[in-house]
Amino acid sequence: MKQLILLILLVPLISSCSPSEPLGKEGAKITIEATKEVETNKEIFSFNKNSNSINLSLNSTPVASNIGYIRLAGILSSEKLAALIEVAGKGNIVNCGDKLAEYRVKKISDKGVLLCLEK
């Protein structure tokens, strides 16, 4: 008796899981269109190679440079100011006078940081 009740309950459940429409039609054609690659001389991003300094400010967009994107993430204030600068996704805590790749931290204020290219 229990098996009969179980069978009666499972049949509608199993039949409701099957698709009501066919999944695909026999003889259907699939069309694939190839796209043509086009060469361009446009730059993805550019940075001023002639600029000897980068001025970073809080809440500004990252600046593209020859060492990657640079962003001022924060200013730390204690006895002297320090800055949290993100270069290519890596965080760095720097003080005035520290070297950051090929740049030197020249000035840190409560609103921004000035980086100068070392020659």
Side-chain angles (χ1 to χ4, degrees):
M1 183 71 170
K2 289 181 183 179
Q3 292 175 346
L4 182 62
I5 294 173
L6 185 61
L7 184 61
I8 293 172
L9 293 175
L10 284 178
V11 169
L13 180 65
I14 292 172
S15 65
S16 67
C17 293
S18 64
S20 58
E21 297 178 13
L23 295 176
K25 296 179 181 178
E26 288 185 32
K29 294 182 181 179
I30 298 174
T31 305
I32 299 174
E33 294 181 22
T35 58
K36 182 180 177 183
E37 290 187 20
V38 178
E39 290 187 30
T40 180
N41 292 332
K42 292 182 181 178
E43 298 175 346
I44 296 173
F45 70 89
S46 62
F47 55 91
N48 190 353
K49 295 178 185 176
N50 299 326
S51 177
N52 292 329
S53 65
I54 296 176
N55 196 2
L56 302 171
S57 60
L58 287 171
N59 300 323
S60 64
T61 58
V63 176
S65 74
N66 53 347
I67 59 173
Y69 282 96
I70 302 176
R71 180 179 77 93
L72 178 60
I75 303 288
L76 308 170
S77 61
S78 60
E79 293 177 13
K80 57 182 181 176
L81 294 176
L84 177 57
I85 298 176
E86 187 178 302
V87 179
K90 182 180 177 189
N92 301 280
I93 296 176
V94 295
N95 294 306
C96 194
D98 287 353
K99 192 167 181 181
L100 186 64
E102 51 200 43
Y103 292 93
R104 176 87 51 193
V105 179
K106 289 293 183 184
K107 181 181 176 186
I108 300 176
S109 70
D110 59 343
K111 295 180 183 174
V113 174
L114 177 63
L115 302 175
C116 293
L117 190 62
E118 285 275 304
K119 290 187 178 182

